[in-house]
Amino acid sequence: MTRGSLTTLAIWLAAAAGLHACPVCFQMDDSAVGAGVRAGVVVLLGVTAVVLGGFVKFAVRVAKKDRHT
Amino acid sequence: MIPYTTERRPDTGVTNVTLGIWLFLASEVMLFGALFSAYALLRTSAASWPSGRDVLNLPIGWANTLVLILMTTSIWRARGASLAGVRRWLAIGSLLALVFLVLKSIDYSTEIRHGIVPSLNTFVAMYFTLTGLHALHVIGGLIANLWAAIGARAAGDALTAGRVHALSLYWMFVDAVWLVIFVLLYLS
């Protein structure tokens, strides 16, 4: 492992405790705003998944077509 | 002339027109997806959320739904029709799109007269944002319909068929978005 990687790992581990204070993940579990944020994220993830799924399907289709020609 | 506008590309299996409209629709899905995500966030986190049945004009909403479905059907009827048939169906579709916009304008003016304006609450703000953006798409589709109908004779059969195909996909998308808006805002 290089010195740079060790430094990065050390910084990452040192910052890990701080991440637990993130209000989005750990402070709004019971609030209506937290539920709203989660619902918004789920909808956006669903839409993104559908669009990316379409792109993947198209790429697979082109690759299959390429194999047959 | 841009290649593969009328014949299919050997690598993708579709014409450039079809590929272009699908890419455009993908970006449109993301645009409306972001707004629906905002709707989910605001509605779920709101302490109280009014029912669209009490606030909005449901009969006009139903009428607009019917008009939009008929309009999309007419554009789909234009697929595979003769040049004269294409022009006729596109003209009918354009007329129906105009009816939709007139009904929506009446709807908006009535609501504004009754004090239902975006600053009233989050529900109304969301309603004007979503339906306004949708109406802009209807205006864009109407312009595209007229452009395809007027230019059909000069463009010829093959090019017009590609344009009508792209338009039918576009209107299907506009229809689908309206149905989601109608269910989320008017019926719930």
Side-chain angles (χ1 to χ4, degrees), chain B residues 29-164:
Chain B
V29 169
M30 294 307 293
L31 173 67
F32 278 101
L35 285 172
F36 288 133
S37 168
Y39 170 86
L41 191 156
L42 292 169
R43 182 169 184 168
T44 311
S45 59
S48 67
W49 192 261
S51 170
R53 290 169 189 270
D54 302 330
V55 180
L56 306 174
N57 190 331
L58 202 56
I60 287 189
W62 276 114
N64 261 345
T65 306
L66 184 68
V67 167
L68 211 54
I69 289 170
L70 285 174
M71 204 279 310
T72 306
T73 309
S74 71
I75 303 300
W76 276 75
R77 290 293 299 270
R79 288 172 65 149
S82 65
L83 215 54
V86 165
R87 285 165 64 93
R88 188 175 60 246
W89 284 116
L90 285 177
I92 292 169
S94 303
L95 192 69
L96 287 166
L98 205 61
V99 170
F100 177 92
L101 290 170
V102 168
L103 284 174
K104 198 74 221 142
S105 304
I106 293 168
D107 204 9
Y108 276 161
S109 60
T110 311
E111 282 155 1
I112 290 167
R113 262 205 315 277
H114 286 92
I116 302 170
V117 289
S119 58
L120 186 67
N121 57 39
T122 315
F123 169 80
V124 179
M126 208 65 224
Y127 161 76
F128 274 99
T129 306
L130 281 169
T131 54
L133 187 66
H134 179 268
L136 283 177
H137 281 76
V138 175
I139 293 170
L142 172 63
I143 292 167
N145 270 7
L146 293 172
W147 170 74
I150 292 165
R153 206 165 285 162
D157 282 326
L159 206 55
T160 301
R163 287 174 182 177
V164 170

Side-chain angles (χ1 to χ4, degrees), chain A residues 17-43:
Chain A
L19 289 177
H20 285 279
C22 172
V24 173
C25 304
F26 293 97
Q27 297 288 312
M28 300 197 303
D29 276 348
D30 300 327
S31 72
V33 177
V37 169
R38 274 195 298 277
V41 169
V42 166
V43 171

Side-chain angles (χ1 to χ4, degrees), chain B residues 12-23:
Chain B
T12 61
V14 292
T15 64
N16 280 350
V17 176
T18 305
L19 185 61
I21 194 72
W22 277 114
L23 287 173

